[in-house]
Each structure stands twice: as structure tokens, then as C-alpha cells.
């Protein structure tokens, strides 16, 4: 299932779509500035964010894994508990920027 900021929903396979209740007419998704504002407000107030942090973390890990798979032009297998790629040192090396490169970028 994929939900876009435009409010559109894509469901596959078709058998899953048939199990869902009728979906409401798509509306615009969450305003990105409102999402950021909620996050910063919660940093100050120490309250919970509107988005579930655990769900968001796992969603972002899946998206980054898919992006690395696309960049490397091959399938990758991820260990969700360790958040590493199984048997793929090259992919694991791309999980984050080298600390020195990041420090140099911050100085700019």
C-alpha cells in the first residue's frame, strides 16, 4: 500500500484492495510545513509528535533501503533488527556518510 502527499492511495495486489472498505475521495496530504512545525513544537514541549516515531523510523529505513537498492542496481536483503544489509559490505558502507565528509560539509 502506498499513500502519497497528494492523498492518492495505491493498493496491490488486487486481492488486498478488494478487502478494504471503500476509500474516501482523496484529499490533499499533510502540509509539510505543518509536519515540521509539529516536530519543532514537540521538541520544545516534550509532547508526542503527531506521527508515530517508531512507524516513521521503520518507514524511512525501508525507503532508504529501496533507494540504495536502486542506486546499486541489485536486490538487497536487510536485517530489520540490526538495520544492516545481510552479506553486502558495499551497501552497508552507504548507510551513512563518513564522519569526516560530514564534518567538512558542516564547516562550509
Amino acid at each position: 500500500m502506498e499513500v502519497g502527499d497528494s492523498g492518492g492511495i495505491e493498493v496491490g495486489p488486487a486481492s488486498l484492495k478488494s478487502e478494504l472498505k471503500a476509500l474516501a475521495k482523496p484529499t490533499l496530504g499533510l502540509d509539510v510545513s505543518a509536519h515540521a512545525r509539529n516536530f519543532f513544537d514537540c521538541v520544545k514541549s516534550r509532547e508526542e509528535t503527531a506521527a508515530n516515531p517508531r512507524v516513521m523510523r521503520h518507514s524511512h529505513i525501508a525507503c532508504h533501503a529501496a533507494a540504495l537498492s536502486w542506486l546499486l542496481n541489485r536486490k538487497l536483503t536487510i536485517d530489520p533488527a540490526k538495520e544492516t544489509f545481510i552479506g553486502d559490505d558495499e551497501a552497508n558502507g552507504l548507510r551513512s556518510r563518513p564522519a569526516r565528509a560530514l564534518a567538512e560539509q558542516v564547516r562550509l
Side-chain angles (χ1 to χ4, degrees):
M1 179 179 284
E2 182 178 336
V3 180
D5 285 338
S6 65
I9 299 174
E10 295 292 327
V11 181
S15 60
L16 176 61
K17 189 172 186 174
S18 66
E19 293 179 24
L20 296 175
K21 294 180 180 178
L23 300 172
K25 182 179 176 184
T27 59
L28 291 179
L30 178 66
D31 176 13
V32 176
S33 62
H35 180 70
R37 179 76 272 149
N38 173 255
F39 173 78
F40 292 124
D41 289 345
C42 290
V43 168
K44 289 180 185 178
S45 69
R46 304 284 190 205
E47 292 179 11
E48 292 290 320
T49 56
N52 180 311
R54 184 170 177 261
V55 170
M56 295 306 297
R57 177 176 175 78
H58 292 292
S59 298
H60 283 99
I61 289 170
C63 291
H64 289 295
L68 288 177
S69 176
W70 179 75
L71 286 170
L72 295 170
N73 197 29
R74 63 176 183 261
K75 290 183 179 183
L76 298 174
T77 303
I78 192 166
D79 178 339
K82 294 181 181 178
E83 298 177 357
T84 59
F85 295 103
I86 298 170
D88 197 320
D89 291 337
E90 183 181 17
N92 283 319
L94 296 172
R95 289 176 34 240
S96 63
R97 295 180 187 162
R100 181 178 298 270
L102 183 59
E104 289 172 4
Q105 186 178 24
V106 170
R107 284 187 219 135
L108 297 175

